[in-house]
Amino acid sequence: MHRSKAEINTLYESRIFDMNFRGTSNDLSTVKIYTNKNSFQIEKQISFDSEYKPISSVEYFAGSVLSSIILTLLEQSQKSGLTIEEIEGVLNLSLANPLSLVGVKGYDEEPYIQRLTVTVFLYVDLEDKELNDFCYDALKKSPIYNTLKRSLELEVIFKKLL
């Protein structure tokens, strides 16, 4: 493997930030996830029941994507001295082959998240082109966005609140 001099002369930690998580299933029906400082429990990958209250894996995933995009915009606005007065986002998720998850006979295709569409509404003192330039530049600092855009259909739309 050929490494550049910059890679040889820098600390691993300056190039890569490793994180570790642990998951256990003591009751063999739920999973408890342990982070460095917290833990949370998940009962289902996804629920199609409108009455189901706990947060599923897919909901945690979608919430992580949406919050990461919003937080990235807020962090980058603070760094650039730009004031975002209001911000809100909506995420639409398209799950392909959902019938295979519920065991419908004849449906055995692998389920996967095919598409995510995120719409972010901002109240900020920028014109349309400036707003889009700022937002798309900010997204370059989002590890979740940059990972997902390589693996699924991901569209992020920015709309100015009037």
Side-chain angles (χ1 to χ4, degrees):
M1 177 172 101
H2 179 61
R3 295 187 320 184
S4 70
K5 286 185 181 185
E7 287 180 316
I8 293 170
N9 293 330
T10 60
L11 292 173
Y12 174 82
E13 292 81 4
S14 69
R15 292 180 286 115
I16 304 291
F17 179 69
D18 289 323
M19 300 174 73
N20 297 300
F21 302 88
R22 192 174 121 232
T24 63
S25 181
N26 293 333
D27 62 5
L28 302 179
S29 66
T30 63
V31 175
K32 189 162 189 175
I33 301 295
Y34 295 90
T35 69
N36 285 339
K37 298 178 185 172
N38 295 301
S39 66
F40 55 94
Q41 191 160 308
I42 303 172
E43 295 178 3
K44 292 184 178 283
Q45 288 188 82
I46 189 169
S47 176
F48 300 106
D49 179 357
S50 62
E51 301 296 318
Y52 183 75
K53 300 254 186 258
I55 300 170
S56 70
S57 297
V58 171
E59 290 170 317
Y60 272 111
F61 171 76
S64 294
V65 173
L66 184 56
S67 65
S68 176
I69 289 171
I70 291 173
L71 289 169
T72 297
L73 293 167
L74 291 170
E75 291 165 2
Q76 295 308 306
S77 72
Q78 291 170 354
K79 288 181 180 179
S80 69
L82 178 67
T83 301
I84 295 176
E85 295 183 39
E86 286 184 53
I87 189 167
E88 181 177 327
V90 176
L91 183 142
N92 297 96
L93 182 148
S94 296
L95 180 69
N97 305 318
L99 295 180
S100 61
L101 283 171
V102 293
V104 175
K105 289 187 184 235
Y107 291 91
D108 56 3
E109 296 88 0
E110 295 176 348
Y112 65 96
I113 296 170
Q114 181 179 34
R115 179 177 177 78
L116 293 175
T117 302
V118 178
T119 304
V120 180
F121 301 91
L122 301 109
Y123 186 80
V124 62
D125 189 23
L126 290 175
E127 295 304 317
D128 290 344
K129 183 183 179 336
E130 293 172 301
L131 175 66
N132 278 334
D133 289 348
F134 163 75
C135 290
Y136 287 112
D137 281 345
L139 284 182
K140 293 176 184 175
K141 303 289 185 184
S142 172
I144 291 176
Y145 169 81
N146 289 319
T147 301
L148 292 177
K149 74 179 185 182
R150 291 168 169 81
S151 59
L152 54 79
E153 294 177 46
L154 176 58
E155 180 181 19
V156 181
I157 301 162
F158 300 103
K159 294 189 177 185
K160 187 174 176 179
L161 289 171
L162 301 174

